[in-house]
């Protein structure tokens, strides 16, 4: 089930967190995995059985070169996981257009370019999985600038699914809620983890492996009839408030 034997997969931003967990999981499922990141992880990648190429995804030429390398190494490209992102917490009252544009360039425009370049190389069809965010679809105090870039990913995922579907290329997004990664811990400390014990119906913060599992399914042929979707992987945080949580608020 979810076998990826022989698949050629490129994943961005896999030096740590969700990307690292995903690269390891996809490799264990049999894929040949090439990682592109601005953070050097060549040593870990080799331990996982993956390959690393230094890549800034906000540079279109570097992104195209990463995909070319997958073609050269593996003879094909089957899956692209657009996971790399930059983030920070800033209230809307202090919004900064330059900073928001930087998030947009790194997080959203890279996905646009990556999808275009991947589709040109996926001669036998394939799958693209874009890592968006709950903040791209729900109001999230402090995450407005970043959330705008993630909303763009959700929109582009739907349009790409329509345009690339006839080419046999499926395009989906995964939107994590709160996940314990270096990025999240640096920004939130343990506050988000404690909050999600109450706010998420499943009673805990997400782990990188929870997101990796969803990406794995969407990347595999088992998801062969799934495209254009944005899958919230958030312990149920986005769908409402449990009776138990309401009770705590009202107590
Ligand atoms: N952790 C969470 O709670 C959470 C929630 C929602 C969405 N996400 C999304 O999940 C994805 C992974 O995040 P994470 O929490 O694992 O963060 P992380 O910081 O652990 O990993 C992000 C990776 O992206 C890389 N990166 C940043 N800018 C890059 C660039 N220009 N080119 C190439 N690589 C670049 C970093 O070097 C890093 O390795 C991101 O898209 C993030 O927005 C995370």
């Amino acid at each position: 089930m979810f076998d990826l034997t022989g698949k050629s997969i490129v994943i961005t931003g896999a030096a740590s967190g969700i990307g690292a967990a995903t690269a390891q999981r996809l490799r264990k499922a049999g894929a040949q995995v090439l990682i592109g990141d601005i953070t050097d992880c060549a040593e870990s990648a080799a331990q996982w059985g993956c390959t690393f190429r230094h890549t800034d995804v906000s540079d279109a030429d570097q992104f195209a070169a990463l995909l070319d390398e997958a073609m050269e190494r593996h003879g094909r490209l089957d899956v692209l996981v657009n996971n790399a992102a930059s983030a920070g917490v800033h209230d809307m009252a202090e919004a900064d257009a330059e900073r928001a544009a930087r998030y947009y360039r790194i997080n959203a425009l890279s996905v646009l370019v990556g999808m275009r370049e991947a589709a040109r190389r996926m001669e036998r069809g394939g799958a693209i999985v874009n890592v968006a965010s709950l903040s791209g679809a729900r109001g999230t105090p402090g995450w407005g600038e970043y959330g705008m870039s993630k909303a763009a990913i959700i929109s582009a995922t739907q349009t790409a699914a329509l345009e690339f579907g006839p080419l046999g290329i499926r395009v989906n997004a995964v939107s994590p809620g709160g996940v314990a990664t270096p990025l999240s811990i640096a920004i939130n400390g343990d506050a988000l983890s404690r909050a999600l014990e109450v706010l998420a119906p499943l009673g805990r913060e997400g782990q990188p492996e929870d997101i990796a599992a969803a990406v794995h399914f969407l990347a595999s042929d088992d998801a062969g009839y799934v495209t254009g979707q944005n899958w919230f992987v958030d312990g149920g945080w986005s769908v409402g408030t449990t009776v138990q949580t309401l009770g705590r608020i009202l107590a």
Side-chain angles (χ1 to χ4, degrees), residues 23-183:
Q24 291 172 76
R25 181 167 176 135
L26 301 184
R27 175 70 193 120
K28 278 189 194 139
Q32 307 172 84
V33 179
L34 174 62
I35 294 168
D37 201 306
I38 48 170
T39 305
D40 190 332
C41 66
E43 215 168 290
S44 322
Q47 281 168 12
W48 305 334
C50 305
T51 316
F52 168 77
R53 182 192 176 94
H54 183 95
T55 310
D56 181 345
V57 294
S58 65
D59 180 315
D61 291 340
Q62 289 189 36
F63 208 147
L66 176 71
L67 300 178
D68 279 340
E69 183 167 336
M71 298 293 285
E72 280 156 27
R73 282 180 176 274
H74 312 141
R76 54 194 280 166
L77 177 66
D78 299 298
V79 175
L80 170 64
V81 182
N82 280 309
N83 168 76
S86 182
V89 175
H90 317 282
D91 289 344
M92 289 298 227
E94 307 298 333
D96 181 294
E98 290 301 319
R99 189 175 51 215
R102 193 171 68 81
Y103 291 140
Y104 196 78
R105 198 171 61 251
I106 297 170
N107 301 354
L109 294 181
S110 70
V111 171
L112 188 70
V113 168
M115 290 199 294
R116 180 192 72 200
E117 295 299 321
R120 287 177 179 170
R121 291 164 177 80
M122 288 176 170
E123 292 147 1
R124 306 162 213 199
I128 298 172
V129 184
N130 299 322
V131 180
S133 169
L134 183 60
S135 64
R138 301 280 190 277
T140 318
W143 293 86
E145 294 174 9
Y146 163 89
M148 286 174 70
S149 71
K150 293 296 185 175
I153 294 176
I154 296 168
S155 166
T157 297
Q158 293 174 344
T159 300
L162 294 176
E163 295 189 5
F164 297 155
L167 305 176
I169 301 171
R170 298 181 297 100
V171 188
N172 291 287
V174 168
S175 281
V179 183
T181 66
L183 176 79

